[in-house]
Amino acid sequence: MKIRNKFMNMILFVFFLNGEFIIANDVRTVELITNDIIYSTFSQKIYATVSSTDGPMGNHLVVIDPVEGIIDTSIYVGSEPNKLAISNNGQYIYISLDGAAAIRRVDLATLTAGIQFSLGIHDFYGPYYVSDMDVMPGNPSIISVSRKFSHSTAFGGVTIYENGIERPTATWYGGSNVIDFSDDSSVLYGYNNSDSGFEFNVMEVSDSGVVLISQTDDLISGYNKDIEYADGKVFSTDGGIIDPDSLVLIGQISHFVHAMTFDVENEKAFYMDVSHSSGYFYSTIRSYNISSFEYLDNVVIDSIFFSIRKKLIRWGNNGLAFANYNNIYLVRNSIVSLNVHESEILENFQLFQNYPNPFNPTTKLSYDLPEEAQVKIMIYDLMGREVRTLVNDQQSAGFKSIVWDATNNLNQPVSAGMYLYQISAGKFHQVKKMVLLK
């Protein structure tokens, strides 16, 4: 299987509220024609559905190690995998199959494809397809599904499936094209983003199925908008923040929002937009306090040449990820942490694999420092002879990186082959291999 990844030097700058400029730590890309991405806090992996047009990885669920920035493995799951939903215990991922008008369930512990079930057929419009879906909190075997007809946005009802078996009662009204569970497994929220009704819906889930219990206008507005429940509130990509109990708007993000994600533990909300000026494209990720909605900081990422099509997700201690049609972008940046600085959440010294590897003519070496230390990074050939001293100074704690341009200490190009690179930081020492191609 061909594994494709590359480093892209795309970061422009980071703004903090005090006006300080900080270079963003790291952005890597994984080249995949992906439809959706999701992260498991249990496996600490990102999962992506890949279109059939992406050669040997087409119609696969691809597993990505976001720290190393590489593809771990993949499994075939069915025709045209698209939407993803994950159980909150990390047991299952559900995958919509647009080519089969069905849903496939994958066991994440064994990474095996399990049951596949059809969504049924309408007497007039034909097969149902997935518009959106969400796994019931506390019950990985139950999933709510917003259905549509063919590849249109025409609403086909919200239903509940348990181990692939549809419960008898479905909601046919309200147009909840996007849905998300509350913390309470009996409460499901929905939004009509396909016609000018733009209703926000509250549904009740029971053993018999799902019913619509309230419908409110003028809380969210706009076609193709999404919603997400977090921290007792419902957030929308129109920038609105809803109290779902009182059904009132309690906040509004003023910036345009293309995608969003949340870190409840660190009390942080992230919003992303894509902008362009004179043919120049860039993306901005802004962070806000999840309770007060106070603006905190932002990072601007250069050279995103296509509009963002997929959701923004959080991963790891300081990671964000998003995707356009051709790439998954893995961002590591200190703006992700709120209550502590990045240096305070790093627990261990660590030397990462260089990127790209093999490489020609440059590669990037990254490492974590949990505390201030005297750092030395050396490159050796396989005979143990010193080739280049890249770093030899005192450094503060945090995530660090440096680029090697395949030259020696005399700035002369070195020959192709395998090299060793070693980090020494206090009592910590680690060695890894890398390959230079010419």
Side-chain angles (χ1 to χ4, degrees):
M1 180 176 296
K2 183 180 180 182
I3 295 179
R4 296 165 297 169
N5 63 83
K6 65 177 181 177
F7 171 79
M8 290 188 67
N9 183 19
M10 302 186 305
I11 294 297
L12 287 180
F13 46 80
V14 178
F15 279 101
F16 283 82
L17 287 178
N18 61 10
E20 179 183 2
F21 288 85
I22 299 178
I23 297 174
N25 298 84
D26 192 6
V27 177
R28 297 166 183 160
T29 66
V30 178
E31 295 181 357
L32 283 174
I33 302 177
T34 183
N35 288 319
D36 199 6
I37 56 175
I38 206 163
Y39 177 70
S40 169
T41 57
F42 294 89
S43 67
Q44 299 183 26
K45 306 293 185 183
I46 290 175
Y47 300 86
T49 49
V50 179
S51 167
S52 64
T53 59
D54 194 320
M57 290 194 185
N59 293 328
H60 279 63
L61 179 70
V62 174
V63 185
I64 297 165
D65 181 340
V67 175
E68 298 291 347
I70 61 173
I71 294 171
D72 272 356
T73 187
S74 68
I75 60 166
Y76 176 83
V77 290
S79 178
E80 301 302 337
N82 192 349
K83 296 275 188 178
L84 290 169
I86 190 169
S87 62
N88 61 2
N89 68 349
Q91 182 178 357
Y92 294 133
I93 275 185
Y94 291 81
I95 305 164
S96 71
L97 301 177
D98 289 353
I103 292 174
R104 168 80 79 181
R105 189 170 75 188
V106 171
D107 186 309
L108 289 186
T110 59
L111 201 65
T112 54
I115 61 171
Q116 177 176 318
F117 54 94
S118 169
L119 301 178
I121 299 177
H122 189 273
D123 291 341
F124 181 76
Y125 294 106
Y128 293 108
Y129 297 81
V130 172
S131 175
D132 197 13
M133 57 185 178
D134 195 27
V135 184
M136 177 181 283
N139 198 327
S141 299
I142 299 176
I143 186 167
S144 62
V145 180
S146 172
R147 301 184 302 194
K148 63 180 182 178
F149 299 111
S150 185
H151 296 287
S152 72
T153 58
F155 180 59
V158 175
T159 59
I160 304 295
Y161 294 86
E162 183 170 1
N163 289 317
I165 306 301
E166 183 181 356
R167 292 182 176 178
T169 304
T171 290
W172 295 97
Y173 303 100
S176 295
N177 308 89
V178 290
I179 55 176
D180 207 30
F181 268 107
S182 167
D183 290 330
D184 183 343
S185 61
S186 67
V187 179
L188 183 68
Y189 302 114
Y191 172 62
N192 171 15
N193 68 9
S194 65
D195 62 47
S196 58
F198 299 146
E199 301 93 351
F200 176 73
N201 302 312
V202 181
M203 293 163 277
E204 182 179 40
V205 179
S206 67
D207 290 342
S208 63
V210 57
V211 294
L212 180 67
I213 59 174
S214 75
Q215 190 170 57
T216 307
D217 299 329
D218 302 324
L219 291 177
I220 305 172
S221 180
Y223 297 101
N224 302 314
K225 300 300 181 181
D226 198 6
I227 62 169
E228 186 169 342
Y229 174 87
D231 194 41
K233 298 173 277 289
V234 174
F235 297 80
S236 168
T237 51
D238 79 336
I241 303 160
I242 300 167
D243 180 336
D245 296 324
S246 59
L247 294 174
V248 296
L249 195 67
I250 57 174
Q252 182 72 43
I253 302 303
S254 59
H255 296 285
F256 176 80
V257 179
H258 202 116
M260 59 188 179
T261 192
F262 306 92
D263 185 342
V264 175
E265 182 179 355
N266 281 324
E267 302 176 0
K268 210 162 190 183
F270 300 92
Y271 293 88
M272 184 173 198
D273 67 70
V274 180
S275 304
H276 65 91
S277 177
S278 302
Y280 176 78
F281 285 78
Y282 58 94
S283 298
T284 305
I285 301 175
R286 297 179 175 89
S287 62
Y288 294 80
N289 182 280
I290 201 169
S291 299
S292 67
F293 319 131
E294 175 191 3
Y295 171 75
L296 299 172
D297 44 41
N298 71 72
V299 59
V300 179
I301 304 172
D302 184 18
S303 302
I304 306 298
F305 294 108
F306 302 91
S307 295
I308 303 303
R309 301 176 64 242
K310 314 300 171 225
K311 62 192 176 191
L312 179 68
I313 62 173
R314 270 279 289 116
W315 61 267
N317 286 333
N318 60 350
L320 293 164
F322 60 93
N324 62 15
Y325 185 69
N326 296 301
N327 297 295
I328 298 171
Y329 298 86
L330 306 172
V331 181
R332 292 185 67 178
N333 191 270
S334 57
I335 75 161
V336 177
S337 300
L338 176 66
N339 297 324
V340 293
H341 295 292
E342 179 188 6
S343 61
E344 295 173 324
I345 62 175
L346 299 178
E347 297 179 352
N348 300 301
F349 289 98
Q350 186 172 3
L351 178 64
F352 299 103
Q353 189 64 48
N354 63 300
Y355 295 97
N357 187 45
F359 68 97
N360 181 24
T362 62
T363 190
K364 189 172 188 179
L365 283 60
S366 302
Y367 50 100
D368 280 341
L369 298 179
E371 60 189 39
E372 183 177 349
Q374 177 68 30
V375 178
K376 193 171 186 178
I377 296 179
M378 307 286 292
I379 297 174
Y380 300 92
D381 63 21
L382 290 182
M383 300 298 292
R385 295 172 297 203
E386 179 183 332
V387 174
R388 180 74 181 266
T389 299
L390 283 179
V391 176
N392 188 13
D393 57 24
Q394 190 80 10
Q395 294 190 343
S396 61
F399 177 80
K400 311 291 182 179
S401 60
I402 190 167
V403 173
W404 183 41
D405 61 359
T407 61
N408 60 22
N409 284 328
L410 299 177
N411 290 321
Q412 299 168 333
V414 299
S415 59
M418 183 177 292
Y419 290 86
L420 306 176
Y421 60 102
Q422 179 187 55
I423 183 173
S424 298
K427 296 181 179 180
F428 173 74
H429 304 278
Q430 189 174 359
V431 178
K432 287 185 176 289
K433 298 176 182 179
M434 59 183 168
V435 176
L436 169 64
L437 300 178
K438 287 190 176 182

